[in-house]
């Protein structure tokens, strides 16, 4: 009954693929958002401040 | 400061009350949260025949018998124990890969009139010990552990056995 | 790039109903920790600090995760009974750990927000929420992919799995609640209450495998006892966990910096139009 030689690589690769997908999604989203926020703020800062 | 500390006490009090309520609720539903019943529990308070329950425990060494009828799914019988009492189980179907004698299993099914448990589904429950194959083989060979009779010895006792040293011996 | 701290903005023109200024002009701190808290609860100060620590989060995350994954996939031994499938543990356990850690962070932010009214805590909670939800989803998916070949079931309603599913829904609820109100301050308040109330689930997750019979195995690594796993499996697991934790912190830090900058952009625009009128 003991099946020590079994491999379940589709499951293993599935788990690692899900990890890679989550990690890349989160980091790309964060990087894009960060650069956009920085660009917008920099554009605003370059304009002369009109407030007294 | 007083407003701040008042808010702190308020939040703390709410949390305390909420945790207490949750604790009491969990306590009350404890019997339903349990995923399976042990054989001694089943024998002490037998559920109504036909009522679906989960039976969990260790497969008794030497109790596993396979009945392979022609053209049918394999039928197996084995006993499940929690160390105090044992319940015989009948099951028709394919067992999970981890199923073996000495393994913890959880069977979904109902007690039958003859006192055996008719399982519709069998799940294997592995324990929290993770050890390389070579170490397990060496432990078995040296006679320090037989997987059919229970959990492996503590990790500290075999952690010194690296895969290389095992292969070399 | 230079970003002026928010203190510049406290000229009174930008009170958009939020408590952005309050964190800056807070009362004198009572103790040392409170002082430190007040110091870095200032979004401008945080922005400079966050800028500086970002590489110290990103690079260890990339390095440790790569080492841990390669170690776990190719150099750690197969388990005696689970075979290679045990390698799913190297992503499942860090994801599970971060799911709980992230929610603990959410709860701390909730407390800071409710009691001390730190605006930065609200921003941080809003950024931790989606990341935590993703990582909890990953924990559930990887666990399912582990459970099918090992237990024989994709999913069972045992106490451990169910309490983690509840955690996932708490995260989703938090994400939705933050964005559910027109007034962001009200959304933040409601989300903070949910974060604190939901923290009750954390000890339930932790002790579910001890309090009740579960199909899920008990913890292998505990504070009180020796780990019940081979060191050859424990080491890559620890490296992966550390790497994932750095990665989580790096992503949350980057998102929080973006959020602070976005808030500042909004306030500048608001101030600009106010001055123009």
């Amino acid at each position: 009954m003991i099946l020590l030689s079994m491999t379940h690589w589709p499951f293993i690769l599935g788990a690692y693929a899900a990890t890679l997908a989550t990690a890349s999604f989160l980091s790309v989203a964060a990087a894009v958002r960060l650069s956009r926020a920085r660009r917008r703020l920099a554009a605003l800062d370059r304009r002369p401040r009109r407030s007294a | 400061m007083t407003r701040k500390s008042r808010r702190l006490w308020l939040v703390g009090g709410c949390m305390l009350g909420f945790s207490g309520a949750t604790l009491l609720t969990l306590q009350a539903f404890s019997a339903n949260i349990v995923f399976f019943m042990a054989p001694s529990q089943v024998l002490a308070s037998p559920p109504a025949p036909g009522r679906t329950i989960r039976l969990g425990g260790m497969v008794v060494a030497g109790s596993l018998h396979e009945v392979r009828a022609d053209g049918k799914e394999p039928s197996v019988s084995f006993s499940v124990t929690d160390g105090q009492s044992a319940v015989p189980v009948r099951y028709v179907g394919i067992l999970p890969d981890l199923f073996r004698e000495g393994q913890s299993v959880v069977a979904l099914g109902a007690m039958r009139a003859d006192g055996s448990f008719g399982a519709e589904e069998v799940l294997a429950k592995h324990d929290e010990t993770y050890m390389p194959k070579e170490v397990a083989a060496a432990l078995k060979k040296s006679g320090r552990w037989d997987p059919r009779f229970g959990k492996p010895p503590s990790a500290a006792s075999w952690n010194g056995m690296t895969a290389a040293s095992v292969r070399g011996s | 790039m230079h970003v002026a701290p928010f203190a510049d903005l406290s000229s009174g023109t930008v009170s958009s109903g939020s408590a952005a200024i309050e964190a800056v002009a807070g009362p004198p701190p009572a103790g040392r920790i409170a002082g430190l808290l007040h110091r870095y609860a200032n979004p401008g100060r945080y922005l400079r600090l966050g800028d500086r620590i970002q590489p110290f989060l990103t690079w260890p995350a990339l390095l440790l995760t790569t080492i841990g994954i390669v170690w776990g996939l190719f150099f750690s031994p197969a388990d005696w009974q689970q075979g290679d499938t045990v390698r799913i543990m190297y992503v499942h356990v860090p994801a599970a750990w971060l799911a709980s850690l992230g929610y603990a962070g959410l709860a701390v932010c909730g407390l800071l927000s409710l009691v001390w009214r730190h605006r930065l805590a609200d921003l941080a909670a809003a950024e931790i929420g989606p990341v935590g939800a993703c990582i909890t989803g990953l924990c559930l998916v990887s666990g399912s992919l582990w459970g099918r070949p090992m237990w024989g079931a994709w999913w069972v309603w045992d106490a451990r799995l169910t309490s983690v599913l509840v955690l996932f829904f708490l995260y989703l609820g938090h994400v939705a609640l933050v964005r559910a109100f027109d007034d962001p301050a009200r959304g933040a308040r409601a989300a903070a209450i949910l974060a604190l109330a939901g923290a009750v689930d954390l000890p339930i997750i932790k002790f579910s495998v001890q309090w009740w019979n579960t199909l899920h195995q008990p913890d292998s690594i505990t504070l009180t006892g020796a780990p019940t796993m081979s060191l050859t499996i424990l080491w890559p697991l620890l490296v992966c966990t550390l790497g994932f934790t750095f990665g989580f912190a790096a992503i949350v830090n980057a998102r929080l910096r973006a959020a602070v900058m976005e808030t500042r952009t909004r306030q500048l625009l608001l101030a600009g139009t106010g001055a123009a009128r």
Side-chain angles (χ1 to χ4, degrees):
Chain A
M1 242 340 124
I2 307 174
L3 300 167
L4 278 183
S5 59
M6 78 226 152
T7 55
H8 292 289
W9 282 101
F11 295 97
I12 304 167
L13 294 180
Y16 278 80
T19 309
L20 190 67
T22 312
S24 1
F25 167 70
L26 285 175
S27 12
V28 168
V32 166
R33 198 173 142 203
L34 187 61
S35 71
R36 200 181 55 188
R38 188 185 276 153
R39 209 173 50 238
R40 288 200 176 154
L41 187 58
L44 217 60
D45 269 348
R46 244 181 275 118
R47 262 192 348 220
R49 200 77 64 82
R50 274 186 292 180
S51 61
Chain B
M1 214 58 211
T2 47
R3 267 174 64 202
K4 222 159 273 177
S5 53
R6 203 172 60 219
R7 284 202 295 258
L8 186 59
W9 280 107
L10 194 70
V11 168
C14 285
M15 279 302 286
L16 211 67
F18 187 66
S19 314
T22 314
L23 202 75
L24 287 177
T25 315
L26 289 178
Q27 193 70 36
F29 287 98
S30 205
N32 300 3
I33 296 170
V34 168
F35 188 63
F36 56 83
M37 292 168 78
S40 54
Q41 287 173 300
V42 171
L43 291 182
S45 53
R51 194 186 144 219
T52 303
I53 59 157
R54 290 196 192 85
L55 174 73
M58 205 180 86
V59 180
V60 177
S63 72
L64 180 63
H65 298 291
E66 204 168 347
V67 190
R68 197 175 276 278
D70 291 324
K72 273 185 176 177
E73 274 193 291
S75 160
V76 290
S77 72
F78 55 89
S79 292
V80 164
T81 181
D82 59 350
Q84 293 166 37
S85 34
V87 171
V89 177
R90 303 291 300 271
Y91 174 65
V92 177
I94 298 159
L95 291 165
D97 289 347
L98 282 194
F99 188 93
R100 58 176 174 79
E101 291 176 350
Q103 181 70 281
S104 294
V105 296
V106 176
L108 175 78
M111 292 304 289
R112 296 198 292 203
D114 63 350
S116 72
F117 186 84
E120 293 155 23
E121 191 187 5
V122 173
L123 303 173
K125 172 176 157 66
H126 65 79
D127 60 26
E128 68 276 26
T129 309
Y130 302 91
M131 98 167 69
K133 273 177 195 173
E134 291 87 353
V135 172
L139 283 178
K140 275 185 270 184
K141 218 172 95 184
S142 68
R144 284 171 61 197
W145 172 51
D146 188 337
R148 295 183 305 145
F149 294 107
K151 283 186 161 192
S154 76
S157 69
W158 45 262
N159 243 330
M161 304 164 66
T162 60
S165 75
V166 168
R167 237 180 260 124
S169 68
Chain C
M1 193 199 89
H2 171 73
V3 176
F6 271 24
D8 287 3
L9 291 170
S10 52
S11 47
T13 48
V14 264
S15 56
S16 59
S18 75
I21 318 293
E22 198 190 318
V24 178
R32 218 206 189 121
I33 295 171
L36 214 68
L37 215 67
H38 277 291
R39 204 175 142 79
Y40 287 106
N42 176 336
R45 273 218 188 84
Y46 162 72
L47 206 53
R48 271 174 293 156
L49 180 78
D51 259 332
R52 221 173 302 145
I53 64 169
Q54 186 71 61
F56 297 100
L57 298 175
T58 309
W59 290 111
L62 287 173
L63 197 72
L64 289 172
T65 312
T66 311
I67 292 175
I69 296 272
V70 170
W71 192 350
L73 264 183
F74 302 110
F75 294 101
S76 74
D79 181 62
W80 75 279
Q81 64 172 341
Q82 300 191 39
D84 288 313
T85 316
V86 76
R87 299 181 200 285
I88 294 177
M89 182 169 69
Y90 302 121
V91 296
H92 176 71
V93 168
W97 150 250
L98 282 178
S100 288
L101 185 73
Y103 203 87
L106 220 55
V108 169
C109 286
L111 188 69
L112 289 178
S113 162
L114 283 182
V115 177
W116 287 276
R117 299 277 149 84
H118 283 314
R119 178 70 182 138
L120 190 63
D122 288 336
L123 289 178
E127 298 312 322
I128 293 173
V131 184
C134 284
I135 212 86
T136 311
L138 177 66
C139 172
L140 291 170
V141 167
S142 60
S144 186
L145 286 166
W146 195 3
R148 182 66 192 85
M150 290 298 100
W151 298 339
W154 295 104
W155 180 264
V156 293
W157 292 102
D158 86 347
R160 172 56 76 84
L161 277 69
T162 308
S163 54
V164 174
L165 187 69
V166 168
L167 186 74
F168 183 58
F169 289 137
L170 284 172
Y171 270 119
L172 292 186
H174 188 274
V175 169
L177 212 51
V178 166
R179 291 151 182 83
F181 293 88
D182 289 331
D183 178 9
R186 284 186 64 196
R189 172 85 59 92
I193 293 172
L194 176 72
L196 271 178
V200 173
D201 195 30
L202 292 180
I204 298 178
I205 292 176
K206 173 79 181 74
F207 295 108
S208 56
V209 288
Q210 296 170 25
W211 290 344
W212 304 290
N213 297 334
T214 54
L215 188 62
H216 194 287
Q217 69 280 6
D219 299 334
S220 301
I221 306 168
T222 53
L223 283 177
T224 48
T228 61
M229 58 169 77
S230 163
L231 288 178
T232 49
I233 295 173
L234 181 64
W235 274 113
L237 179 63
L238 290 182
V239 172
C240 272
T241 306
L242 203 61
F244 274 57
T245 309
F246 269 108
F248 188 85
I251 288 171
V252 168
N253 190 48
R255 289 177 64 112
L256 185 52
R257 283 166 60 209
V260 170
M261 285 193 236
E262 281 161 9
T263 310
R264 200 173 133 73
T265 306
R266 256 198 310 279
Q267 289 180 337
L268 278 177
L269 284 175
L270 222 64
T273 52
R277 244 181 258 138

